[in-house]
Amino acid sequence: MAKVQSLLQPDIEYHPDYEKYLARVQRRKATEDLPKSLPPGFPEKLSSPLVWEGKDIERHDDWIYKLNDSQREEIHTALNSFKALGLGAGHVNQETFPLPTLHPVLRELSNEIHNGRGFFVLRGLDVDRYSREDNILIYAGVSSHIGSLRGRQRDERQADGTSVMLTHVKDLTHTDQAGKIGGPASTADKQVFHTDAGDIVSLLCLQTAAEGGESQISSSWLVYNILAKERPDLIWTLSQDWPVDGFNNPERPYTLRPLLYHQRATASAPERVLIQYARRYFTGFLAQPRSANIPPITEAQAEALDALHFLAEEHSASLDFQKGDVQYINNLSIFHARKGFRDAPAKERHLLRLWLRDPEHAWETPEPLRERWNIVYGNVTPEEQVFPLEPKVQRKNISA
């Protein structure tokens, strides 16, 4: 592997510290000769519906699609139709979960994810009407009309050859699994801005918290535009290789890849910039501290991590996530985060997560990401898919 030129890990943690960030900015500007222009070929400004301000999003609700009674009954009919087939949950697809009138609506919403502003909320699933198992079938069935490919949630099959396709996002710090938690999704803690693996990140809300837990999203294309104008040196930093922690993986202690990818316009696709990262792979979190035997990140990379978070936070939108809502976001153009929350009896925040891909509208996957995209979506058979009914800490989630 190429050597990363740094001696010590910078003073940076999972939770961003604004004062440390400002001090690092001032120190680097005073002591380093920072590039004043962008890498060759990179756009000075992206112009697209994917570039938006959070405050503008919050003024409107046209990103919410509300199901009506007849559509809910169509979903109920599709559920019964699928269950009558006697197939495992991995066989849920557009054909086995038919939605004749809702299908064209969902296909247009998938187009909005890829070629519009990049997200929407489907509102009105009656989760209290169904069992946990049926809610999962409904979630997978409706989502198959948005993205027909479901992704694995772990980087390896289980001992019996099955693949986990669904993750529960729930606070497990008060359970016997607390000591295994290496990511904030299993806590009530704040989640900083990040991306997941895959094209589309989807979340179904089974229950809201007693207080807090608001879902936040931010346009990574807007963040790019700001950095391109004000700090082109950080565009250089983000587009170069970073040491991504393998968290004590003996075969691959770390991997090297950029966090930012530029794709030139083609005859079939516009110019695009993709930012893919999760902060904990460079800082560690709880039971998964950053590995000691791998190259540290640089001061420039530490500043870039903070810049991504604080710019995303400043320009973010908080989505009013209600029970029965399903949030679908373009993971390639949107950062997402979560505010901390407090649970109470019968008000324990509980989400379900799927990673989806729509072959019709999918963006080209940058070459350095193809290996892990293949882990998520490659050769997934209906028979291997399992959908856990209860939350459990997963120690080997897909790498960042």
Side-chain angles (χ1 to χ4, degrees), residues 272-287:
R272 292 169 175 151
V273 169
L274 291 65
I275 304 177
Q276 292 293 289
Y277 87 109
R279 187 178 176 100
R280 70 186 183 90
Y281 287 91
F282 308 102
T283 65
F285 185 88
L286 291 184

Side-chain angles (χ1 to χ4, degrees), residues 82-132:
F82 177 79
K83 291 170 71 174
L85 297 175
L87 300 172
H91 290 270
V92 169
N93 58 43
Q94 295 179 17
E95 288 69 41
T96 61
F97 200 95
L99 299 172
T101 64
L102 195 52
H103 173 80
V105 175
L106 296 176
R107 295 307 301 142
E108 183 53 39
L109 289 170
S110 181
N111 182 61
E112 176 71 13
I113 292 172
H114 294 84
N115 302 304
R117 92 186 106 201
F119 74 97
F120 75 94
V121 169
L122 185 71
R123 175 157 293 170
L125 289 180
D126 188 3
V127 295
D128 288 335
R129 179 180 181 181
Y130 300 102
S131 66
R132 176 71 54 78

Side-chain angles (χ1 to χ4, degrees), residues 15-26 279 306-307 309-311 313-314:
H15 292 288
D17 184 313
Y18 192 63
E19 295 304 319
K20 288 182 181 179
Y21 166 55
L22 292 181
R24 180 171 282 116
V25 171
Q26 293 172 359
R279 187 178 176 100
D306 281 346
H309 172 78
F310 287 118
L311 284 173
E313 188 172 57
E314 180 181 355

Side-chain angles (χ1 to χ4, degrees), residues 253-273:
Y254 69 98
T255 55
L256 290 173
R257 71 167 181 86
L259 303 195
L260 184 152
Y261 306 89
H262 173 232
Q263 295 180 334
R264 298 179 184 273
T266 67
S268 59
E271 182 176 38
R272 292 169 175 151
V273 169

Side-chain angles (χ1 to χ4, degrees), residues 11-312:
D11 181 13
I12 186 169
E13 298 178 348
Y14 174 78
H15 292 288
D17 184 313
Y18 192 63
E19 295 304 319
K20 288 182 181 179
Y21 166 55
L22 292 181
R24 180 171 282 116
V25 171
Q26 293 172 359
R27 184 170 62 251
R28 294 195 63 237
K29 285 185 174 181
T31 61
E32 299 182 39
D33 184 17
L34 304 177
K36 301 295 193 295
S37 59
L38 291 167
F42 277 56
E44 293 185 2
K45 184 177 181 179
L46 294 164
S47 297
S48 165
L50 293 168
V51 179
W52 43 259
E53 278 275 6
K55 61 185 180 183
D56 296 330
I57 297 298
E58 292 178 344
R59 290 194 188 107
H60 307 283
D61 65 358
D62 56 346
W63 41 269
I64 300 174
Y65 185 86
K66 298 179 180 178
L67 295 168
N68 58 40
D69 289 342
S70 64
Q71 290 168 331
R72 277 188 286 271
E73 285 308 306
E74 182 170 285
I75 291 171
H76 182 74
T77 299
L79 171 67
N80 289 333
S81 175
F82 177 79
K83 291 170 71 174
L85 297 175
L87 300 172
H91 290 270
V92 169
N93 58 43
Q94 295 179 17
E95 288 69 41
T96 61
F97 200 95
L99 299 172
T101 64
L102 195 52
H103 173 80
V105 175
L106 296 176
R107 295 307 301 142
E108 183 53 39
L109 289 170
S110 181
N111 182 61
E112 176 71 13
I113 292 172
H114 294 84
N115 302 304
R117 92 186 106 201
F119 74 97
F120 75 94
V121 169
L122 185 71
R123 175 157 293 170
L125 289 180
D126 188 3
V127 295
D128 288 335
R129 179 180 181 181
Y130 300 102
S131 66
R132 176 71 54 78
E133 185 173 10
D134 284 353
N135 273 318
I136 289 173
L137 291 174
I138 288 171
Y139 180 31
V142 170
S143 295
S144 71
H145 294 262
I146 298 292
S148 59
L149 298 181
R150 283 187 294 272
R152 300 180 181 92
Q153 299 280 315
R154 298 182 63 185
D155 62 6
E156 61 183 25
R157 288 179 173 85
Q158 300 188 105
D160 60 1
T162 59
S163 292
V164 175
M165 310 303 293
L166 177 105
T167 291
H168 294 255
V169 180
K170 196 172 189 296
D171 179 17
L172 300 179
T173 58
H174 303 293
T175 72
D176 58 359
Q177 300 182 63
K180 302 177 182 179
I181 295 173
S186 297
T187 75
D189 205 348
K190 168 184 178 179
Q191 272 189 296
V192 301
F193 283 92
H194 66 286
T195 61
D196 285 1
D199 291 10
I200 303 170
V201 177
S202 172
L203 294 167
L204 164 63
C205 182
L206 293 178
Q207 181 58 265
T208 58
E211 181 180 355
E214 294 87 352
S215 177
Q216 298 171 283
I217 61 172
S218 191
S219 167
S220 64
W221 283 33
L222 176 64
V223 170
Y224 173 87
N225 282 350
I226 295 170
L227 289 176
K229 179 181 179 181
E230 300 178 1
R231 292 296 305 276
D233 60 293
L234 294 183
I235 299 297
W236 281 92
T237 299
L238 290 165
S239 62
Q240 295 167 345
D241 278 345
W242 290 54
V244 182
D245 202 338
F247 290 123
N248 300 312
N249 181 338
E251 297 178 1
R252 301 179 75 178
Y254 69 98
T255 55
L256 290 173
R257 71 167 181 86
L259 303 195
L260 184 152
Y261 306 89
H262 173 232
Q263 295 180 334
R264 298 179 184 273
T266 67
S268 59
E271 182 176 38
R272 292 169 175 151
V273 169
L274 291 65
I275 304 177
Q276 292 293 289
Y277 87 109
R279 187 178 176 100
R280 70 186 183 90
Y281 287 91
F282 308 102
T283 65
F285 185 88
L286 291 184
Q288 285 188 328
R290 182 159 176 84
S291 299
N293 59 339
I294 67 173
I297 65 173
T298 66
E299 286 289 326
Q301 290 171 335
E303 185 192 347
L305 284 178
D306 281 346
L308 290 180
H309 172 78
F310 287 118
L311 284 173

